[in-house]
Amino acid sequence: MGQTTGSPLVTSDPSVAPELPPASPGRGYVHVYTGKGKGKTTAAFGLALRAAGHGKRVYVGQFLKGGPCGEAAALAGNPLVVVERFGDPGCIGRDQVTPLHHAHAGEGLARAREALMSPDNDVVVLDELDVAVWLGLLTERQCVALIEDRAPHVELVITGRSAPAAVIERADLVTEMREIKHYFRRGVQARAGIEF
């Protein structure tokens, strides 16, 4: 199939799509899934599942999540996927942050750094890392250091609302989930198997 000229997704105008360096074989890229819409964690776990299906080793670190979730349960028996969770059950706001939240985030940061430097991991997913930064549990600089210091072969996926500008700048792929309509606005609560 040929490309159609005039399509909004295909352009030769360099002001619209800046030229990127050529792809390197064996190089891992940085994905950021951000925005206020639903589906960031779902997309990241879909990629993790796909990678494992091709025999790749995957590490998932979930920040701010400590309650039960279907994605972690479904992958629990997969020898190619490790899921670790660093948080308490329930959501918190900026005014609810405690020393324990800081401790969980620090533990997650240390484990993320190990996973990103390990020759054993092909894909690393850091779920809700952006939110940990937004809450002040981690700094933007710490987040950038994870990107810059990772082993070159590791594919890194970062999720969460409010991705820091420095993270977006260093990413190779950024997808914004934009909420157009959500049943939550009609009072529908989070449901097992759908939202967690």
Side-chain angles (χ1 to χ4, degrees):
M1 294 175 63
Q3 294 181 339
T4 305
T5 58
S7 164
L9 300 177
V10 180
T11 180
S12 59
D13 182 350
S15 67
V16 175
E19 189 171 323
L20 298 173
S24 303
R27 174 181 179 239
Y29 294 92
V30 179
H31 306 228
V32 173
Y33 305 154
T34 192
K36 293 182 179 180
K38 174 176 162 44
K40 298 174 289 292
T41 296
T42 305
F45 270 90
L47 190 145
L49 187 62
R50 176 181 289 158
H54 284 276
K56 295 184 182 296
R57 295 193 174 276
V58 180
Y59 172 84
V60 179
Q62 289 192 289
F63 291 81
L64 302 166
K65 293 184 176 176
C69 73
E71 59 267 27
L75 293 171
N78 190 319
L80 295 174
V81 182
V82 172
V83 179
E84 293 183 333
R85 311 186 81 219
F86 307 99
D88 298 330
C91 297
I92 61 167
R94 283 179 166 165
D95 59 341
Q96 299 169 308
V97 170
T98 68
L100 185 58
H101 294 121
H102 282 279
H104 286 316
E107 182 186 357
L109 180 68
R111 289 291 295 128
R113 189 174 287 118
E114 289 173 20
L116 287 163
M117 296 304 294
S118 173
D120 297 333
N121 293 318
D122 301 301
V123 176
V124 172
V125 175
L126 301 180
D127 187 33
E128 304 294 1
L129 181 66
D130 293 335
V131 179
V133 174
W134 181 80
L135 286 169
L137 301 174
L138 300 172
T139 68
E140 187 172 313
R141 180 65 218 150
Q142 288 171 316
C143 212
V144 167
L146 291 174
I147 295 170
E148 293 178 346
D149 298 343
R150 77 188 196 285
H153 73 280
V154 173
E155 197 87 6
L156 171 58
V157 180
I158 297 172
T159 79
R161 294 173 176 230
S162 306
V167 170
I168 290 174
E169 181 183 326
R170 286 162 177 80
D172 299 293
L173 179 152
V174 179
T175 297
E176 180 181 12
M177 305 293 190
R178 186 168 61 93
E179 180 184 318
I180 295 172
K181 196 176 194 181
H182 199 314
Y183 41 74
F184 177 78
R185 307 271 176 224
R186 298 196 318 259
V188 178
Q189 299 300 306
R191 296 165 296 156
I194 307 298
E195 276 78 39
F196 65 91

